[in-house]
Amino acid sequence: MLPILYQDDHLVVIHKPAGLLVHRSELDRRETRFAVQLLRDQLGRRVYPAHRLDRGTSGVLVFALDKETGQALSRQFENQTVGKDYLAVVRGYPEEAGIIDHALSRQPDPMEHVHPDALLAPQPALTRYRRLATVELPVAVDTYATSRYALLHLMPETGRRHQLRRHLKHIAHPIIGDATYGKGRHNRMVAERYACPRLLLACVAMSLHHPLTGQALELVAPVDGAFADLIRRWGWADALPPSWLAPEDRKVAAP
C-alpha cells in the first residue's frame, strides 16, 4: 500500500518510496511496478500524476482524480506557484546558502513528443539552497584521509528534468547515490558502510492551492528508511524542522 498523505474527491497525495517509477518508461522497459498503476489499483479508480519525481527520489507526489483537476494542478506547476522543499546529501561543503542559476538543455522524455530542435535550446533553471549540516568522516575515499558531506535544503523555482541533480553536479557538489551525475566512489562507500544504497534526495514538503476550493495545502513527507537512519547516525536530526523527520528517527546513534 502506498502511504497517502492527503485525499479528497478530486486529488490524492502519496509519499512515493525511492526506487519506484511514477509511470511506465521506455528507459525501464523491464520494470513492472509504477506509482500510477499501484495507486490506481489501491483506490480502484484512474489517477493522473500532476508532476514527476525521479525514480530514485522519494517524497510528496500529487495525483488528480479527474482530468480537469489534473489540468488545473499542472498549470500551478507550469506557472511556478508550487512551493517545493527537498533534502539532499551532497559531497563536500557548499556555501552556507546560494542560488544556482544555470540553464539546462532539455532532455528527451519518452513520454513526450518534442521536436529535436527543441532539445538543443537551454531552458532557464534556478535552484535556491541552504546548508543545514555537515559531517567529516575518518574514511578515505579519494585522495584525502577524510570525507566531507553536507545536508542541503533545496528549493527549486523551476522544474526542469533532473534539475536538482544536474545543478548540484554543476557546482561540484553532486548528490550521494546519484549514479548518473554523482561520484561512484562516494556512492559505493555510503551504500556499503552505512547500508544506504539509494539516491539521497527527497521531496519533504510541498505547498500548493487546491484547484477547486483555493485552500492552501501544506503537504509533508518526512524522510524515512535508510535516508532517515543516515541523518540520525551523522548527527543531523536537530538540523531539520520537526515535521521533516519522524520522532523515532531523532534518537541519537553512533556514526
Side-chain angles (χ1 to χ4, degrees), residues 109-170:
D109 185 338
M111 301 301 292
E112 295 180 324
H113 299 285
V114 180
H115 191 280
D117 292 344
L119 300 176
L120 301 177
Q123 297 175 297
L126 190 146
T127 301
R128 299 181 185 275
Y129 72 86
R130 292 190 303 121
R131 195 181 73 199
L132 302 178
T134 61
V135 69
E136 185 168 4
L137 305 175
V139 180
V141 176
D142 288 326
T143 58
Y144 302 98
T146 61
S147 298
R148 292 181 171 185
Y149 303 99
L151 180 66
L152 299 187
H153 173 198
L154 304 174
M155 296 154 281
E157 296 197 2
T158 51
R160 308 308 178 197
R161 188 169 170 82
H162 299 170
Q163 175 174 317
L164 297 178
R165 296 162 59 193
R166 296 166 74 186
H167 268 178
L168 271 297
K169 177 187 177 182
H170 175 70

Side-chain angles (χ1 to χ4, degrees), residues 17-251:
L20 181 66
L21 286 167
V22 174
H23 46 58
R24 188 178 302 276
S25 169
E26 288 298 317
L27 301 178
D28 296 274
R29 294 183 180 181
R30 291 177 293 181
E31 185 56 66
T32 58
R33 298 176 71 253
F34 316 96
V36 170
Q37 176 191 40
L38 294 175
L39 187 59
R40 179 198 65 197
D41 294 345
Q42 184 173 326
L43 300 179
R45 60 186 299 180
R46 292 191 66 178
V47 296
Y48 305 84
H51 63 112
R52 72 171 73 240
L53 289 178
D54 291 344
R55 178 176 188 164
T57 305
S58 62
V60 180
L61 185 61
V62 182
F63 292 84
L65 296 177
D66 57 78
K67 290 184 178 180
E68 293 75 15
T69 301
Q71 292 169 353
L73 285 170
S74 294
R75 284 195 293 270
Q76 289 191 50
F77 284 93
E78 292 168 2
N79 295 333
Q80 301 173 19
T81 60
V82 177
K84 294 168 282 187
D85 298 277
Y86 286 76
L87 283 180
V89 178
V90 304
R91 182 183 65 82
Y93 291 177
E95 297 294 325
E96 290 188 5
I99 299 174
I100 308 171
D101 187 354
H102 176 66
L104 297 171
S105 59
R106 186 166 185 171
Q107 295 187 328
D109 185 338
M111 301 301 292
E112 295 180 324
H113 299 285
V114 180
H115 191 280
D117 292 344
L119 300 176
L120 301 177
Q123 297 175 297
L126 190 146
T127 301
R128 299 181 185 275
Y129 72 86
R130 292 190 303 121
R131 195 181 73 199
L132 302 178
T134 61
V135 69
E136 185 168 4
L137 305 175
V139 180
V141 176
D142 288 326
T143 58
Y144 302 98
T146 61
S147 298
R148 292 181 171 185
Y149 303 99
L151 180 66
L152 299 187
H153 173 198
L154 304 174
M155 296 154 281
E157 296 197 2
T158 51
R160 308 308 178 197
R161 188 169 170 82
H162 299 170
Q163 175 174 317
L164 297 178
R165 296 162 59 193
R166 296 166 74 186
H167 268 178
L168 271 297
K169 177 187 177 182
H170 175 70
I171 64 169
H173 294 287
I175 298 173
I176 300 303
D178 192 334
T180 303
Y181 305 104
K183 295 289 185 180
R185 291 181 180 179
H186 291 271
N187 294 348
R188 287 190 293 273
M189 188 281 287
V190 173
E192 296 168 3
R193 190 181 183 94
Y194 295 96
C196 191
R198 60 159 290 177
L199 173 69
L200 291 177
L201 178 64
C203 180
V204 291
M206 185 175 293
S207 59
L208 51 83
H209 287 88
H210 195 286
L212 272 75
T213 67
Q215 174 190 359
L217 299 178
E218 301 292 336
L219 310 162
V220 178
V223 287
D224 58 8
F227 198 162
D229 184 58
L230 189 76
I231 287 174
R232 182 171 54 90
R233 294 183 68 181
W234 285 2
W236 290 346
D238 290 341
L240 298 182
S243 62
W244 291 6
L245 192 64
E248 60 270 21
D249 290 320
R250 292 183 175 276
K251 298 176 183 178

